[in-house]
Amino acid sequence: MVIIETTTKEKYEIGTPARNGENYLQCPVCSSDRKKKSDKPLMFNGAKGIGKCYHCNSTFIMENKNNCFIPKPEISYKKPIWKNDTTLSDALVRYWAERGISQQTLTRMKISEGVEWMPADNKEMNTVQFNYFRDGELINVKYRTGNKHFKLHKDAELILYNLDAIKSSDECLICEGEPDCLSWIEAGYRFAVSVPNGASRETQNLKYIDNCYNYLENKKRIYISYDNDLPGIQLRDELVRRLGEERCFLIDLEGHKDANEYLKIYGTIKLLERIEFAKEIPIEGVFGVNDFDNDLFSIYNGGIGNGEKIGLGNLDDLIGWETSRLLIVTGIPGHGKSELVDEIVLRLNLMHQWKAAYFSPENFPISYHISKMMERMSGKKMDSEKMSMEDYLETKQYLDENYKFIMPKDDDFYLDNILERARMLVKKIGIRILIIDPWNRIEYQMDKGETETKYIARQLVKMTNFAKRNNILIILVAHPIKMQKTDGGVYEIPTLYNISGSANFFNMADYGICVYRFPDRVAVYVQKVKFKHLGHTGCAEFSYNINNGRYTPFDENNYPLWDNSSFLKKNINSITNVFENANAKMQTNKSFYDTEKEDDKDDFYNNTGEHVPF
């Protein structure tokens, strides 16, 4: 793989990173001049295609960053060797005693001590070792130095600490670190477990929940003890989302940083009492101002975020992606709606780890849909002569870990059935995106006397509520009515108002996109972005590679998308007029998209008859 140093623009060849996340590599700028050439000061993120050397401060970006990167699959898990030595030094026992943890608890939890190479210190250090067991077998080890540097055993599986303690219980308590877990055990609560890698300010990647879900799915009550800081609160919220708010209870530590601090100040009895005062998740639909402390503080401290970008510069200029939203995509059949959706979803997954679930009966058989996704991801045709076996296996494994496909039995394609399966996938693997493609394949289930307009409004409300409740992005593909052709034989560009059935497709969308294919380009018309911090209307033009399904920003010098030169020459004036008229409408969106149209006025009412504002 080629990376570019951002200041000098020099290009360097490096090996393909082994991981989708952070990789420690030798720096192509400074490593050759260093005395210890084996050091790896370059931290490179494989999914995002960016890196920084923490020795010479050089920064790098992957060449052709707009091309999706194929992450290597997870390395086969390696298990550390259990030496069965829990002899601890007097100094270490005294250290834990000062934190309120007795030697009896240390012995019970099989805490060990030893010298270990620590990358953050660049030398061997004495460490306390938290041993992670599953069914009595050592699965992982977390090493911690006196100066609070950590590492997990190389290539070991991520699981919850003290997992065996909750195997047959009907409740458990999840906390943010091993010292907190020890504190709860010291207090007498033995069903405490800890996450292996704490909380971060980045996306909370709960791989350990995936690996331990069978230990958690039968729990009736799950207590969450979290650190009283922003990463801890973000971890709390993601755990609640994954495990279900109906069975989660929040431990209130009365403003103290964590459980260990509370233990040191008040002792075991008082800490144990905090379980009795655990708070249920607030009643759905009822909030106080203080319920929004995290969001308000984030806005106060750094403003409202602009959403996630996907590495397509011209579309990134128009849209930032956010969960708890509904995106509606329309366009003339055959113009590439599903292809664009697949591109957006793949990039959100690769760059931000948003797992996805598809309900896409028109992309059948599913194996054909998957093969197209593999082509887009690898950049190579699904052909044994074009795609290597290594790329085939890596891409297939990655897609299996990050994508699921919903296909109810007996073609039972009611929206409630689709959403119920999506809810299960939120809990089990943490999906962030649900794709429903297309709308007209969902079975109608209208109430007696209900009009089509009211039915569609009710279903869209159901989707938007589901997206908010489960913090996911729902992408709905919907066909327009049959569009009229111009005198030159060219279809007019549809809008969300042209979707068959109701103007509510426009009204209730958070994002609205139309895909329109010209003979030499694909135009993506962003017709609605509900919240200004997430973008604005406009047009992004792309070239489409028919061999691998990838999109790149349009360049006049690119080879045309498909061979339609005779049609292009015959209808060039009509095509140009349609294109220019559409762009003019986008520039005057206040009068075109954001203004009530008289023809649709009857559709602009909700189920109560109240006028629905834009």
Side-chain angles (χ1 to χ4, degrees), residues 2 42 146 482:
V2 176
L42 170 59
K482 185 175 181 179

Side-chain angles (χ1 to χ4, degrees), residues 121-327:
D121 300 284
N122 199 26
K123 63 180 180 179
E124 289 189 337
M125 298 282 287
N126 191 53
T127 63
V128 58
Q129 299 168 1
F130 301 99
N131 298 297
Y132 284 65
F133 292 91
R134 183 174 58 204
D135 294 329
E137 182 182 16
L138 186 64
I139 301 298
N140 206 334
V141 180
K142 186 171 183 179
Y143 305 91
R144 183 184 190 276
T145 64
N147 57 356
K148 295 185 179 181
H149 288 159
F150 306 89
K151 79 168 186 179
L152 288 158
H153 192 82
K154 182 176 173 59
D155 300 330
E157 183 180 1
L158 289 179
I159 64 171
L160 294 168
Y161 180 64
N162 197 31
L163 184 61
D164 283 349
I166 67 169
K167 186 173 183 179
S168 57
S169 66
D170 61 0
E171 67 176 54
C172 70
L173 182 151
I174 302 176
C175 51
E176 191 175 322
E178 296 86 357
D180 289 338
C181 185
L182 296 178
S183 299
W184 286 107
I185 294 169
E186 183 73 26
Y189 189 83
R190 60 191 181 93
F191 303 128
V193 296
S194 168
V195 306
N197 50 8
S200 71
R201 292 181 180 271
E202 305 297 328
T203 301
Q204 302 293 339
N205 183 10
L206 309 190
K207 181 67 174 175
Y208 47 85
I209 296 294
D210 303 344
N211 297 338
C212 301
Y213 190 76
N214 58 321
Y215 285 78
L216 298 167
E217 61 182 340
N218 65 337
K219 299 293 181 280
K220 296 178 182 178
R221 296 171 72 91
I222 299 176
Y223 300 101
I224 299 176
S225 175
Y226 54 96
D227 286 7
N228 191 27
D229 54 21
L230 184 57
I233 291 169
Q234 291 173 338
L235 174 63
R236 174 203 70 186
D237 292 345
E238 181 64 6
L239 286 170
V240 170
R241 188 184 82 91
R242 290 291 306 275
L243 300 174
E245 61 185 24
E246 70 281 356
R247 57 181 181 151
C248 287
F249 297 81
L250 306 181
I251 300 292
D252 180 8
L253 295 173
E254 301 180 306
H256 294 285
K257 178 183 179 296
D258 54 33
N260 187 244
E261 180 181 282
Y262 197 94
L263 172 70
K264 287 191 294 182
I265 296 173
Y266 299 108
T268 57
I269 295 175
K270 287 292 186 182
L271 177 61
L272 195 60
E273 285 178 353
R274 300 320 303 163
I275 293 178
E276 298 178 22
F277 294 100
K279 298 178 180 179
E280 295 183 17
I281 304 300
I283 300 171
E284 184 177 357
V286 179
F287 305 96
V289 172
N290 289 337
D291 292 324
F292 301 97
D293 269 351
N294 301 337
D295 293 337
L296 292 171
F297 184 75
S298 296
I299 295 171
Y300 170 76
N301 204 34
I304 301 177
N306 295 320
E308 303 289 6
K309 304 299 183 179
I310 60 174
L312 286 175
N314 47 356
L315 189 57
D316 284 346
D317 290 341
L318 300 176
I319 289 183
W321 300 100
E322 192 173 74
T323 52
S324 300
R325 305 293 180 204
L326 173 63
L327 160 66

Side-chain angles (χ1 to χ4, degrees), residues 318-319 493-496 506 512-514 523-529 536-541 578-594:
L318 300 176
I319 289 183
I493 296 170
T495 74
L496 269 66
F506 180 89
I513 285 177
C514 173
V524 176
Y525 292 98
V526 178
Q527 297 178 346
K528 182 178 182 181
V529 182
H536 54 85
T537 57
C539 179
E541 301 169 26
V578 168
F579 185 70
E580 290 178 349
N581 288 342
N583 281 321
K585 288 177 179 179
M586 296 303 301
Q587 294 299 321
T588 58
N589 59 52
K590 286 296 180 186
S591 60
F592 183 70
Y593 291 111
D594 297 342

Side-chain angles (χ1 to χ4, degrees), residues 517-532:
R517 188 176 75 174
F518 292 92
D520 63 338
R521 74 193 77 181
V522 173
V524 176
Y525 292 98
V526 178
Q527 297 178 346
K528 182 178 182 181
V529 182
K530 187 173 183 179
F531 299 99
K532 63 182 181 180

Side-chain angles (χ1 to χ4, degrees), residues 19 54 77 93 131 139 145 152 162 183 237 264 311 325 337 360 375 384 393 412 416 427 452 514 556 612:
R19 292 184 178 84
Y54 287 92
Y77 294 131
V93 172
N131 298 297
I139 301 298
T145 64
L152 288 158
N162 197 31
S183 299
D237 292 345
K264 287 191 294 182
R325 305 293 180 204
K337 298 184 294 295
S360 186
E375 288 180 341
S384 60
L393 293 175
D412 194 2
D416 288 347
K427 289 184 175 182
E452 184 181 26
C514 173
E556 294 285 351
V612 179

Side-chain angles (χ1 to χ4, degrees), residues 95-110:
Y95 168 80
W96 285 109
E98 291 171 359
R99 299 189 66 168
I101 309 297
S102 67
Q103 186 171 2
Q104 182 181 3
T105 296
L106 299 176
T107 302
R108 176 182 175 182
M109 296 304 298
K110 297 181 180 179

Side-chain angles (χ1 to χ4, degrees), residues 47 547 567:
N547 293 314
F567 178 86

